[in-house]
Amino acid sequence: MYRLLSANLYRLRIYKPFWINLFILVIIEALLTFMLVVQGEVPLDFTLFIVLLVIGIITSFFIGLFYGTEYSDGTIRNKVIAGHKRITIYSASLLIGIISISALYFVSLIVGVFIVLMFSKDGNYDLLHFLVSSIIGWLSCVSIASIFNMIGMLCSSKSKSSTTCILVSFMFLLIGLICYSLSLQGLNSSIFSEAVQFLFDANPFVQGIQISTVDYLTIYKLGFYCLYLILITNLVGMHIFNKKELK
Amino acid sequence: MDNVLTVDSLGKNYGDFKALSNCSMTIPRGSIYGFIGKNGAGKTTMIRIICGLQQKTKGNVTLFDRKDTDGNFNVSRRRMGAVVEKPSIYQEMTAIENLKQQFYIKGLTSFEEIDKLLDLVGLQDTGNRKVKDFSLGMRQRLGIAISLVGNPDFLILDEPTNGLDPQGIIEMRKLILKLNHDYHITFLISSHYLDELSKIATHYGFINQGEIIKEISAKDLEAHCGKYIQIEVNNSKALMCTLDDMHVEYKLLSSTKAKIFSTVNITQLVLALDRANCEVISLFEKEESLESYFINLVGGEKDV
């Protein structure tokens, strides 16, 4: 596992789209946070809102290509021929996805927090709430990485992988926004209302909308949904990848 | 002689279609094993199963004395390299970056051997050029360099000369022979270029319609397909008596034709036949090529 992870890290280090994505995300976070800060007081948690809302979309552009290259260039075969087990290859791929999205998340978050602390006059922040929200926000990112990893490891071409990742991220975002809109309007049917709420809570692409404003219990609930999603996507992905013919 | 690879009754089904059926193969250590078959015969399917890229339906693969059902079979896989179908290289990276990537995959922390590998395959001057700008021959050679990372004892090359120009084919042949003679690497090479394969292979395996139909060493093949004289006469009985008297090894092809395998003095033969009232209609020297041997094995002249 360590060998494959080293190989993946080396590739990520020299992968230009990753650094371009990092730059774009940092710029978005910095600009939006600064614009809000100059208009008035901004809660620290708001930096989370910005990052988590865009990170799924931004990451989908580069990560689908990153994973898909292994199939298009045939290099995934080198790992199998070299004697690595399928489960190790899948896990190393998942880890590099987590590392890359974590880097994007934390760097952007630090930039946003820095701007808020620098330019905001009021220093009264609920740091504990922010810390807990940050950790759960990170779990959202990990679950997004798990989804993209499953797509990348099962799609047999670069174009399919990147297109699917982008479409999935927009689809999840759209579903999440529809659920959010419906929940705001209020629904008559309690079953339907619960279903909408579940779809909204379990969707890692839109957890950023509520993560900064809800109570601790709800935050932990969101965290558990993330963990379930991580478990399910990886179990399904590993099972299918284990039997996949690598052409 | 110990064997690097033994395949026993390997089978692969896709639904009702049998891509491989009871394939058995033995590759001796230090050999260059030429794997020959028509398009769609099952060569690449078998190679892919050996490399772990596809799952088999039945049978066993034993690599360096470890069966594929053993838990630690991957330890044996670490002693082999392969270039299957097309070279597996990152198009957006340079040759050095690709090799570094493979060094990491193999768990090698020192990159000292990279320059040596590039020299070996003739890619020492590629510098910062990305692989997507390489010619096909250069990519093939880089693929082999990548497969050589970690000093493997066994290399599988699936049609390594595909798309290469004549110069490229010669260079590939020289490289394979050098690796076999100097580094004692055992090879399994599948190829359509039978003439080229016949110049390097020490053993052959012939596959047709998913079955290994023949395995033979180059030595035995040469003995079987060596030079001979084909003679056509008007009296085969007289021919047979004359050849028996001369203690010559021969094989009667028809009532008028025969193959003579031993070295024979043509003048004495013709004079002896003349004394026996036997006319010689035609007489010429022939050599059975690997191609004609293969065609005779599988039948017909469909594309190889």
Side-chain angles (χ1 to χ4, degrees):
Chain A
M1 171 88 92
Y2 175 73
R3 297 175 190 181
L4 288 178
L5 192 56
S6 303
N8 287 341
L9 276 169
Y10 173 71
R11 195 158 83 88
L12 186 71
R13 221 165 59 227
I14 60 175
Y15 193 63
K16 282 186 191 139
F18 168 68
W19 298 104
I20 292 169
N21 269 256
L22 180 62
F23 179 72
I24 290 171
L25 197 56
V26 162
I27 296 292
I28 291 173
E29 174 77 9
L31 275 175
L32 288 177
T33 309
F34 186 74
M35 277 163 56
L36 290 165
V37 160
V38 296
Q39 287 175 17
E41 288 308 316
V42 172
L44 203 57
D45 293 22
F46 209 72
T47 53
L48 274 171
F49 169 76
I50 297 169
V51 169
L52 289 173
L53 208 55
V54 298
I55 197 166
I57 304 285
I58 298 285
T59 310
S60 70
F61 282 98
F62 96 86
I63 210 159
L65 288 171
F66 185 80
Y67 287 138
T69 301
E70 296 267 28
Y71 278 102
S72 292
D73 290 352
T75 46
I76 196 166
R77 297 181 296 177
N78 288 345
K79 295 173 181 177
V80 176
I81 293 167
H84 293 286
K85 293 182 181 174
R86 297 280 183 118
I87 197 168
T88 315
I89 295 169
Y90 191 96
S91 303
S93 178
L94 171 68
L95 276 175
I96 202 65
I98 292 172
I99 289 169
S100 60
I101 205 169
S102 301
L104 294 173
Y105 174 70
F106 285 115
V107 168
S108 308
L109 195 63
I110 288 167
V111 166
V113 166
F114 177 76
I115 289 172
V116 168
L117 293 176
M118 278 289 289
F119 296 101
S120 196
K121 295 182 182 84
D122 182 13
N124 210 4
Y125 304 116
D126 186 348
L127 286 175
L128 181 63
H129 192 275
F130 175 72
L131 200 63
V132 172
S133 303
S134 303
I135 292 168
I136 303 301
W138 176 72
L139 273 179
S140 298
C141 294
V142 172
S143 58
I144 290 171
S146 298
I147 294 169
F148 289 155
N149 184 53
M150 186 180 73
I151 293 168
M153 295 305 283
L154 302 184
C155 284
S156 301
S157 80
K158 200 190 317 193
S159 53
K160 274 187 204 166
S161 176
S162 61
T163 309
T164 309
C165 284
I166 293 168
L167 284 175
V168 160
S169 57
F170 275 105
M171 184 186 76
F172 268 92
L173 189 63
L174 187 64
I175 291 171
L177 291 174
I178 291 170
C179 291
Y180 179 59
S181 170
L182 286 172
S183 65
L184 283 180
Q185 287 170 25
L187 298 161
N188 290 333
S189 162
S190 65
I191 295 171
F192 190 57
S193 171
E194 277 180 31
V196 163
Q197 190 60 44
F198 168 75
L199 285 174
F200 181 59
D201 289 344
N203 186 339
F205 289 81
V206 291
Q207 281 175 345
I209 292 175
Q210 57 174 323
I211 208 167
S212 50
T213 56
V214 295
D215 54 49
Y216 286 101
L217 203 62
T218 310
I219 292 177
Y220 294 138
K221 188 174 75 172
L222 298 181
F224 276 116
Y225 285 139
C226 291
L227 289 171
Y228 287 139
L229 192 60
I230 292 165
L231 188 67
I232 291 166
T233 48
N234 284 302
L235 284 175
V236 169
M238 275 187 199
H239 177 75
I240 299 172
F241 181 69
N242 212 26
K243 299 189 184 313
K244 189 173 166 59
E245 294 194 350
L246 300 175
K247 291 191 177 178
Chain B
M1 186 190 301
D2 60 333
N3 300 315
V4 163
L5 175 75
T6 307
V7 174
D8 182 32
S9 304
L10 197 67
K12 174 68 181 175
N13 297 342
Y14 294 104
D16 292 332
F17 173 68
K18 286 187 181 177
L20 292 177
S21 172
N22 279 320
C23 282
S24 295
M25 174 197 276
T26 305
I27 299 180
R29 191 182 293 272
S31 65
I32 299 176
Y33 191 98
F35 196 23
I36 299 168
K38 297 182 193 178
N39 285 335
K43 301 187 299 296
T44 301
T45 303
M46 190 151 171
I47 284 171
R48 292 166 58 78
I49 290 171
I50 292 167
C51 292
L53 301 175
Q54 267 182 256
Q55 292 194 339
K56 61 186 183 188
T57 305
K58 66 180 184 86
N60 289 305
V61 173
T62 305
L63 184 64
F64 294 108
D65 298 325
R66 277 195 187 91
K67 272 193 174 166
D68 58 340
T69 46
D70 289 351
N72 57 354
F73 182 68
N74 283 335
V75 174
S76 288
R77 279 240 169 81
R78 286 174 205 156
R79 293 175 65 185
M80 66 172 268
V83 182
V84 183
E85 294 171 289
K86 62 168 192 163
S88 303
I89 39 184
Y90 292 101
Q91 300 293 312
E92 292 295 328
M93 288 191 190
T94 64
I96 292 175
E97 284 167 349
N98 267 286
L99 282 167
K100 273 189 182 169
Q101 181 74 5
Q102 188 68 6
F103 269 68
Y104 278 119
I105 288 171
K106 288 276 193 171
L108 301 167
T109 48
S110 169
F111 300 129
E112 284 171 8
E113 296 281 308
I114 284 183
D115 289 336
K116 192 176 154 192
L117 278 171
L118 289 173
D119 273 338
L120 188 63
V121 298
L123 292 176
Q124 62 273 34
D125 296 325
T126 50
N128 289 329
R129 273 175 76 187
K130 291 202 164 71
V131 166
K132 62 182 180 182
D133 299 326
F134 282 12
S135 67
L136 183 55
M138 289 169 76
R139 289 181 204 189
Q140 297 274 48
R141 281 184 276 148
L142 181 58
I144 291 181
I146 286 170
S147 69
L148 288 171
V149 171
N151 298 316
D153 298 311
F154 178 47
L155 269 190
I156 298 178
L157 302 179
D158 187 14
E159 302 187 27
T161 53
N162 256 8
L164 294 185
D165 58 21
Q167 182 63 31
I169 291 172
I170 292 168
E171 283 169 7
M172 184 65 69
R173 185 205 316 153
K174 284 181 184 170
L175 177 61
I176 291 169
L177 287 171
K178 183 183 170 73
L179 291 170
N180 180 250
H181 293 152
D182 297 352
Y183 295 83
H184 310 292
I185 295 175
T186 306
F187 280 88
L188 165 61
I189 303 174
S190 82
S191 181
H192 287 167
Y193 294 103
L194 302 187
D195 187 46
E196 191 55 33
L197 209 49
S198 68
K199 289 175 183 156
I200 56 174
T202 60
H203 293 75
Y204 297 96
F206 297 90
I207 184 169
N208 191 41
Q209 293 182 342
E211 281 186 56
I212 301 273
I213 51 176
K214 183 87 181 177
E215 279 191 289
I216 189 169
S217 69
K219 221 173 173 180
D220 291 342
L221 185 66
E222 199 185 316
H224 185 89
C225 304
K227 284 182 184 172
Y228 61 90
I229 294 168
Q230 186 158 307
I231 187 167
E232 190 180 3
V233 297
N234 67 344
N235 185 347
S236 60
K237 222 172 173 178
L239 173 67
M240 282 165 61
C241 289
T242 308
L243 291 175
D244 286 337
D245 287 341
M246 291 175 77
H247 304 291
V248 166
E249 193 188 340
Y250 67 94
K251 182 183 171 185
L252 209 58
L253 295 175
S254 67
S255 58
T256 56
K257 286 182 188 171
K259 275 185 187 177
I260 301 170
F261 297 111
S262 309
T263 308
V264 66
N265 186 307
I266 302 296
T267 306
Q268 285 179 7
L269 173 65
V270 171
L271 287 173
L273 286 170
D274 183 53
R275 284 194 292 274
N277 291 320
C278 178
E279 275 183 32
V280 176
I281 299 168
S282 69
L283 187 151
F284 50 88
E285 196 174 81
K286 276 182 96 171
E287 187 177 6
E288 189 167 11
S289 66
L290 178 60
E291 188 177 299
S292 55
Y293 181 81
F294 170 73
I295 298 292
N296 288 334
L297 258 184
V298 302
E301 290 193 351
K302 291 181 187 157
D303 60 310
V304 175

